[in-house]
């Protein structure tokens, strides 16, 4: 939700008019689709990564404004809380040596940002949830000083009408309450964009939904929150609960959460934008002066500002995006599934797998979504978040007998999905050496059944076994994670355990 939102009073008439404007925007979108006004295929991808700031002791540092001032680059921006940053990588055509180029850009940018953060005794950490975060860090006073975050917090809290309840039961159980949306800031993710034509949008979105569970199983990197070991990927339940506008009574009535997996395969991008209007009241009913249908009547291209802003307050794991560049509209699928980290190599391996498998599945003559129920895909997502790389997933059975079967995620990836991802990268024209290098990282994770979450949990338990208390073990795990993250070797090669104290010589 990157719009320039200015905090101000919102009255009842604004909400009514805003709903009307979103409906006008939907009509305008339909006209643009009917008139085939969208950009031609350009095979463009984009990448954003949310980051944490931590001190040498591993604890969060509330100083993104100071760090951003020192970085002084438009590639880096604020995020929800003062210990968050976001880095945006310029769009790249998929093909050639794009994976190695992305890796080099990330290493250069993150290395520079880390050096600048070090000038104020902080550092950059790529991780799904910083293990040293406590409930006292995630309060409204630590939200970034940006109008849109203040307004969003106020409107979500007003819609809910009471404190947020966090209740997540995994290896351990966490229960607590919050008077703001600040706990959402604990979730730091990688967002992958793919520009698609309207005719291909539904197939790409459906494919992305089908493999979201696999992405989580392979890339889980958020097992701890507020000192408790929860799910292997605790971001999704945390994000849903910390932005939930529904008090218990509305949950009981089956009202949909604003953070959700969805409920059906789609036939058109319009299905998703129509659901947004049908199911979700406006949180930020801020009206734009543009009259979208009049702009279309004059032959122009509307920004559809209300539709875009409303879409930014519905937190789908695969989100539709409408944009206009140089007067030409385009559509993107924004994949919001993956946690940040652990290393640049791991991030690019996840990127390679996603773009490869989505291309292959979207072009399959017998698409997976015709053989797998949407409910099964949603259950898979839940299982992957809970169990990470040890998850068992439901998937269409190969061969002529049809039906589905539940199999280990690592078996599914190695036997079926990795060859498809390789074929998808070939179809994009990605260099074979890059393809093999980064998909090889995914294969090794499967062989060793190791990802960021498994390493964090194993290292934490080893630290506890050595006699450290809970907080000390989490801090030691975080410090060791940071050391190995900046070392750059992929997580499946990391030695388990906190650093050993030096033994004096002599």
């Amino acid at each position: 939700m990157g719009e320039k939102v200015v905090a101000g009073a919102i009255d009842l008439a604004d909400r009514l008019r805003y709903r009307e404007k979103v409906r006008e925007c939907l009509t305008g979108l339909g006209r643009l689709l009917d008139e085939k006004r969208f950009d031609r295929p350009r095979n463009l991808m984009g990448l954003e990564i949310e980051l944490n700031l931590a001190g040498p002791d591993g604890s969060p540092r509330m100083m993104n404004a100071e760090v951003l001032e020192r970085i002084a680059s438009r590639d880096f921006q604020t995020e929800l809380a003062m210990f968050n940053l976001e880095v945006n990588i310029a769009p790249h055509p998929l093909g050639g040596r794009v994976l190695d180029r992305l890796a080099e850009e990330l290493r250069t940018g993150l290395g520079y940002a880390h050096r600048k953060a070090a000038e104020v005794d902080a550092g950059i950490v790529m991780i799904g949830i910083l293990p040293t975060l406590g409930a006292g860090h995630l309060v409204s006073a630590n939200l970034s000083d940006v109008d849109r975050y203040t307004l969003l917090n106020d409107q979500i809290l007003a819609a809910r009408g009471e404190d947020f309840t966090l209740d997540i039961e995994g290896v351990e159980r966490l229960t607590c309450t919050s008077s703001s949306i600040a706990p959402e800031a604990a979730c730091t993710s990688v967002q992958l964009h793919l520009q698609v034509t309207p005719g291909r949008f539904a197939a790409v979105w459906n494919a992305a939904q089908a493999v979201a569970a696999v992405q989580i199983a392979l890339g889980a990197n958020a097992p701890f929150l507020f000192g408790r070991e929860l799910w292997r990927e605790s971001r999704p339940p945390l994000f849903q609960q910390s932005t939930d506008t529904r008090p218990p009574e509305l949950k009981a009535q089956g009202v949909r959460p604003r953070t959700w997996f969805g409920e059906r395969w789609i036939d058109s991008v319009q299905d998703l934008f129509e659901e947004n209007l049908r199911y979700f009241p406006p949180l930020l009913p801020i009206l734009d002066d543009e009259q979208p249908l009049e702009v279309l009547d004059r032959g122009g291209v509307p920004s559809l500002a209300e539709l875009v802003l409303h879409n930014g307050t519905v937190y789908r794991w695969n989100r539709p995006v409408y944009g206009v560049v140089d007067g030409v509209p385009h559509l993107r699928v924004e994949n919001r599934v993956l946690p940040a980290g652990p290393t640049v190599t791991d991030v690019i391996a996840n990127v390679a797998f996603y773009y490869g498998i989505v291309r292959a599945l979207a072009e399959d003559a017998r698409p997976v979504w015709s053989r797998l129920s949407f409910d099964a895909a949603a259950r898979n997502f839940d299982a992957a978040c809970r169990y990470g790389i040890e998850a068992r997933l439901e998937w269409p059975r190969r061969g002529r007998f049809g039906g589905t079967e539940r199999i280990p995620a690592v078996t599914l990836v190695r036997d079926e999905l990795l060859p498809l991802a390789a074929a998808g990268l070939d179809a994009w024209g990605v260099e074979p050496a890059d393809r093999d290098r980064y998909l090889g990282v995914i294969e090794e994770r499967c062989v060793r059944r190791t990802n960021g979450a498994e390493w964090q949990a194993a290292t934490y338990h080893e630290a506890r076994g050595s006699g450290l208390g809970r907080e000390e073990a989490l801090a030691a795990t975080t410090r060791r994670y940071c050391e190995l993250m900046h070392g750059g070797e992929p997580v499946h090669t990391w030695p388990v355990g906190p650093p050993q104290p030096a033994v004096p010589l002599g």
Side-chain angles (χ1 to χ4, degrees):
M1 194 197 68
E3 298 297 307
K4 297 295 183 185
V5 173
V6 178
I10 294 172
D11 62 32
L12 299 180
D14 288 336
R15 295 184 185 279
L16 291 172
R17 179 59 186 144
Y18 187 86
R19 187 178 294 115
E20 293 170 1
K21 281 291 296 284
V22 175
R23 192 170 286 113
E24 290 173 20
C25 288
L26 272 171
T27 300
L29 177 66
R31 284 180 55 179
L32 287 167
L33 291 166
D34 290 342
E35 295 168 11
K36 299 183 172 22
R37 299 277 297 278
F38 283 86
D39 198 3
R40 66 190 187 283
R42 297 173 66 191
N43 294 351
L44 281 179
M45 59 81 64
L47 173 65
E48 305 168 46
I49 306 178
E50 295 164 347
L51 307 164
N52 291 277
L53 291 171
D57 61 352
S59 61
R61 299 297 304 273
M62 306 295 167
M63 54 195 322
N64 61 3
E66 295 96 317
V67 172
L68 283 169
E69 185 177 357
R70 288 174 179 271
I71 293 173
S73 167
R74 287 183 294 179
D75 293 341
F76 288 83
Q77 301 173 356
T78 56
E79 253 299 330
L80 183 59
M82 292 181 182
F83 63 90
N84 297 144
L85 300 175
E86 181 176 273
V87 60
N88 297 278
I89 300 299
H92 284 65
L94 271 163
R97 301 303 301 269
V98 63
L99 299 175
D100 263 355
R101 286 199 303 274
L102 286 170
E104 183 58 30
E105 287 182 36
L106 275 177
R107 287 192 189 96
T108 301
L110 293 177
Y112 172 74
H114 186 63
R115 290 192 298 274
K116 289 298 179 182
E119 294 175 3
V120 287
D121 206 30
I124 301 292
V125 188
M126 282 198 303
I127 196 167
I129 296 175
L130 195 66
T132 49
L133 281 170
H137 296 124
L138 292 163
V139 294
S140 56
N142 287 333
L143 294 176
S144 294
D145 187 18
V146 177
D147 276 350
R148 71 176 183 269
Y149 298 141
T150 302
L151 186 57
L152 184 65
N153 178 69
D154 293 347
Q155 291 300 305
I156 289 180
L157 197 60
R160 182 175 174 84
E162 59 188 67
D163 285 352
F164 299 93
T165 298
L166 303 182
D167 188 349
I168 306 171
E169 186 167 7
V171 178
E172 299 177 291
R173 185 174 184 181
L174 171 71
T175 57
C176 63
T177 60
S178 173
S179 60
S180 78
I181 65 169
E184 177 200 333
C187 307
T188 42
S189 66
V190 172
Q191 292 143 37
L192 305 177
H193 292 254
L194 179 61
Q195 184 176 325
V196 295
T197 60
R200 298 298 297 160
F201 186 95
V204 171
W205 188 87
N206 289 340
Q209 286 286 98
V211 298
V214 181
Q215 288 180 275
I216 288 286
L218 293 169
N221 196 27
F224 297 105
L225 177 65
F226 296 172
R228 295 291 182 268
E229 185 179 356
L230 302 174
W231 295 10
R232 283 304 186 249
E233 186 56 44
S234 303
R235 287 168 40 255
L238 171 59
F239 204 109
Q240 178 172 319
Q241 294 178 21
S242 62
T243 59
D244 200 342
T245 56
R246 308 167 303 163
E249 296 82 2
L250 292 184
K251 286 186 191 177
Q253 294 173 36
V255 172
R256 296 159 179 84
R258 295 192 86 97
T259 300
W260 71 327
F261 186 77
E263 61 188 16
R264 61 179 177 133
W265 306 117
I266 65 168
D267 298 313
S268 165
V269 65
Q270 285 175 293
D271 293 347
L272 300 177
F273 287 118
E274 287 170 357
E275 284 181 354
N276 289 355
L277 177 61
R278 188 182 313 124
Y279 298 146
F280 302 106
L283 285 178
L284 301 174
I286 297 166
L287 293 161
D288 190 80
D289 292 335
E290 177 188 78
Q291 300 300 315
L293 301 184
E294 293 179 10
V295 172
L296 281 165
D297 290 341
R298 295 194 301 268
V301 174
S303 66
L304 306 183
E306 289 83 7
L307 177 142
V308 169
L309 181 57
H310 187 49
N311 184 55
T313 64
V314 179
Y315 303 104
R316 300 176 185 274
W317 296 109
N318 285 290
R319 177 188 276 168
V321 177
Y322 169 89
V324 181
V325 176
D326 296 329
V328 181
H330 69 266
L331 296 172
R332 304 194 304 274
V333 174
E334 181 189 16
N335 178 261
R336 302 158 51 82
V337 170
L338 289 163
T343 66
V344 168
T345 298
D346 287 301
V347 169
I348 301 303
N350 293 338
V351 167
F353 179 80
Y354 171 74
Y355 286 115
I357 194 64
V358 163
R359 173 77 183 249
L361 293 182
E363 295 182 349
D364 195 334
R366 293 183 63 222
V368 63
W369 56 93
S370 70
R371 298 175 287 138
L372 182 73
S373 73
F374 196 92
D375 285 347
R379 290 193 299 270
N380 283 346
F381 187 73
D382 184 80
C385 291
R386 287 178 183 272
Y387 304 113
I389 207 157
E390 297 296 336
R392 296 178 64 88
L393 306 177
E394 184 176 343
W395 199 256
R397 186 181 287 109
R398 287 192 289 180
R400 58 195 178 99
F401 297 106
T404 62
E405 60 182 340
R406 291 189 69 227
I407 57 176
V410 292
T411 303
L412 172 64
V413 171
R414 291 185 68 193
D415 292 353
E416 185 170 349
L417 300 188
L418 272 176
L420 286 175
L425 292 177
D426 288 344
W428 288 119
V430 169
E431 184 72 28
D434 279 16
R435 173 201 67 200
D436 294 344
R437 177 185 180 193
Y438 292 105
L439 293 185
V441 171
I442 299 295
E443 183 173 21
E444 282 300 309
R445 280 192 219 153
C446 293
V447 169
R448 304 188 194 196
R449 301 178 93 95
T450 295
N451 56 20
E454 292 299 319
W455 182 90
Q456 287 187 58
T459 295
Y460 166 76
H461 286 293
E462 186 167 310
R464 290 301 304 273
S466 72
L468 293 182
R470 184 183 291 266
E471 290 187 5
E472 293 88 349
L474 288 168
T477 298
T478 304
R479 291 194 300 271
R480 181 62 166 158
Y481 179 101
C482 293
E483 176 187 334
L484 293 169
M485 180 199 78
H486 289 291
E489 293 300 314
V491 72
H492 68 263
T493 68
W494 289 8
V496 169
Q500 299 299 313
V503 178
L505 298 176

